Amino acid sequence: VETSAGYPTDGETHALEALDILQSYPAPRLKALVYISLARVYRYQWNQAFQHQINDIPRLGKELLSKALAYMEGSALIMEELKWAVDDLPKVPIGAIDLLKEADKENWVTALNECGCLWREVSWLIRDRADDNPTKKIAYTQAIKRLEQASGVNNIARKNWADVVMGIINEIGGSYYWPVLALTNLGWHYLYLDPYPYQEKKYDKEIDEITSFIEHFVPDKYLLAKREKLQASWGGTDVLLFATLGKLEMLRGYQTLRLWRNDGKVLDKALEHISLALEYNYLAGPEQDTYNSRRAEMGFETRIKNSKNWQTDLLPKLFAAESIVGKKLIDEKKITKRHVLLWLERRYGPAPLWIDKN
C-alpha cells in the first residue's frame, strides 16, 4: 500500500519486517509474495530517483535493480548474468517466480510481470552499450521472455494470441488486468529500445501489433474510444484495467509524439491518446491522488522537457493542438474534462500566454 501510494521507502520497511517474521514460520508462498513486494519497492525507488534526477543514476540503478531481480530470479542467477558488483545483494536461493510456479498461478503471473519490468529497466539503463554486449542482450531477451510468459504469448503465433491470453485470464479468476498489463509493459519495452531521436522507429511494428491486439481483445465496455457516451457508474468493471488502458494510451501517445518535429500534424493524434490516458487514470482513482495518475502526469512532463527548446517550440504547439482535440473529445463524450488543458495550465499558466507566442 505504501509503495503504491508513492512511498516505497516506507514500503521497504514493512516488507522487510514481514520477511523477518517469516523466518520463524516457513511459508514459501507467503515468502514469494513478500519478495514481489520488495522487488516492486526497489523498482519504484529507482523510478523516483530517475524522475527527480538524483545524482549517480547508473550506480543507483544497478544497485536497486539487482536487488529487485534477486528477489524475482534468485541471487545466483543475477550475479551470474549481470555481473554487477552490488555490496548488499540479498541472498535469495529461490526467487519468487520459481516459488510460485506450481503453488499460485495468479501471483506467478504477477511475479513474471514484475520481473519483466525489471529487466526492461535494466535494458534501458544500459541502452547505450554495443548491441553485442552480453548483459544488454540478456536484459533485452529476458524482458521479452518474462512479459510474454505473463501474458501467455511466449512462442505463440500472433494469430493465436487471443486464445492463449483468454486461457491465462480464465486460470487467474477472470480478470483481464494482469495479461493486458504484461502486454502493455512489453510495448513500453520496445518503445524504450528505440533510441533518441527515434528516427529509425525500429520497433514500431511490434508496438503496433501489441496495441492493436489489446484494442480488439479487451471488451468494448472498457474502451473509452468505442463508447457512445460516458457513464456515471461503470458497475462491474475492473478498475485496475482502467489504469492499464491509460498506460496503453500513453504508450501510443508517446509513440506518436516523438515524431512531432518531422510532422506537426501528429500532435493532434498524440494529444488524443494522452487525453484518453489521463481520463482512464482518473477513472481508476481520484484525480491527482493515485500513483498511476501522478506517474502519467510526471511522465508527460518529462517528455515535454526532453524536447530541445521545448518552451518555444513544443509547448505553444501543445496548447494550440489541445484547444482542438480537447473540445472534440468532450463533444464526442469520450472524456469528462479537458484533463490535458487543466494539467498544462496548472504547470505552465493560462493557454493564451503560450498560444500567442506560437
Side-chain angles (χ1 to χ4, degrees):
V1 172
E2 294 282 6
T3 302
S4 296
Y7 306 102
T9 301
D10 292 339
E12 179 185 14
T13 300
H14 295 307
L16 289 174
E17 288 175 352
L19 194 59
D20 187 55
I21 293 171
L22 287 172
Q23 302 307 316
S24 302
Y25 304 95
R29 177 181 167 278
L30 294 179
K31 182 179 286 188
L33 298 183
V34 176
Y35 285 172
I36 295 172
S37 295
L38 282 166
R40 190 170 293 124
V41 158
Y42 296 128
R43 180 164 64 88
Y44 281 28
Q45 286 182 4
W46 153 244
N47 287 339
Q48 285 189 351
F50 177 75
Q51 288 169 350
H52 295 294
Q53 297 296 299
I54 303 298
N55 291 332
D56 202 5
I57 285 291
R59 180 199 61 79
L60 190 60
K62 290 179 180 180
E63 176 186 324
L64 292 172
L65 296 174
S66 293
K67 289 165 69 173
L69 279 166
Y71 284 116
M72 292 291 96
E73 302 269 22
S75 49
L77 184 142
I78 300 309
M79 288 188 290
E80 178 183 344
E81 299 290 8
L82 290 182
K83 298 180 175 62
W84 288 346
V86 177
D87 293 336
D88 58 345
L89 189 73
K91 296 179 180 179
V92 183
I94 304 175
I97 291 173
D98 287 339
L99 287 173
L100 291 168
K101 187 172 184 178
E102 303 299 332
D104 185 335
K105 186 73 172 186
E106 181 174 1
N107 283 303
W108 180 65
V109 170
T110 303
L112 288 168
N113 184 71
E114 181 60 39
C115 191
C117 290
L118 290 165
W119 284 114
R120 180 192 67 196
E121 297 297 322
V122 172
S123 184
W124 181 89
L125 183 65
I126 58 176
R127 65 197 181 284
D128 293 330
R129 296 187 184 183
D131 288 343
D132 60 354
N133 177 274
T135 305
K136 184 175 181 177
K137 291 167 69 175
I138 289 167
Y140 166 79
T141 56
Q142 281 293 104
I144 295 172
K145 174 185 174 181
R146 291 312 193 191
L147 291 170
E148 286 188 342
Q149 285 180 312
S151 57
V153 302
N154 52 308
N155 302 317
I156 300 296
R158 168 69 178 77
K159 64 181 181 180
N160 298 322
W161 277 17
D163 290 338
V164 296
V165 175
M166 184 55 71
I168 291 288
I169 289 170
N170 291 333
E171 283 189 65
I172 62 175
S175 173
Y176 282 72
Y177 173 65
W178 285 112
V180 173
L181 177 61
L183 285 172
T184 302
N185 283 329
L186 182 58
W188 279 96
H189 176 53
Y190 287 123
L191 186 73
Y192 289 162
L193 290 172
D194 201 358
Y196 185 84
Y198 316 116
Q199 293 174 347
E200 297 180 42
K201 297 185 284 185
K202 292 171 63 176
Y203 299 98
D204 271 16
K205 178 177 180 290
E206 289 83 352
I207 296 171
D208 290 343
E209 284 184 348
I210 289 168
T211 56
S212 176
F213 170 77
I214 292 174
E215 288 166 356
H216 287 88
F217 178 75
V218 172
D220 287 356
K221 67 178 182 178
Y222 294 104
L223 301 175
L224 291 174
K226 293 186 178 181
R227 283 181 171 271
E228 294 182 359
K229 63 179 181 178
L230 289 165
Q231 294 182 192
S233 173
W234 296 73
T237 55
D238 189 337
V239 173
L240 285 174
L241 186 58
F242 286 141
T244 302
L245 293 172
K247 195 172 183 178
L248 178 73
E249 289 290 351
M250 200 63 86
L251 168 64
R252 296 189 67 193
Y254 294 161
Q255 182 191 14
T256 308
L257 183 64
R258 62 189 176 164
L259 304 175
W260 74 272
R261 286 192 187 276
N262 299 329
D263 181 3
K265 296 179 181 178
V266 305
L267 280 178
D268 286 6
K269 194 61 180 175
L271 281 174
E272 183 172 336
H273 290 306
I274 292 168
S275 295
L276 291 172
L278 293 180
E279 182 76 32
Y280 276 123
N281 277 293
Y282 298 148
L283 283 170
E287 292 187 31
Q288 307 166 39
D289 194 33
T290 68
Y291 172 77
N292 288 309
S293 297
R294 289 196 300 271
R295 184 175 62 175
E297 293 172 347
M298 291 178 70
F300 186 28
E301 182 169 23
T302 298
R303 279 159 180 80
I304 291 173
K305 292 184 175 180
N306 280 345
S307 180
K308 185 178 180 181
N309 300 325
W310 62 274
Q311 291 171 302
T312 55
D313 291 353
L314 179 57
L315 198 56
K317 291 181 173 63
L318 285 175
F319 270 106
E322 198 288 331
S323 69
I324 299 171
V325 173
K327 291 174 183 176
K328 170 179 174 286
L329 292 175
I330 286 284
D331 290 343
E332 293 175 352
K333 295 183 170 57
K334 297 297 189 294
I335 58 175
T336 56
K337 297 179 184 177
R338 291 171 59 183
H339 299 295
V340 174
L341 177 62
L342 292 171
W343 181 84
L344 286 170
E345 292 192 327
R346 193 166 68 243
R347 297 297 296 167
Y348 305 111
L353 293 176
W354 297 96
I355 294 177
D356 291 344
K357 294 181 180 181
N358 193 20

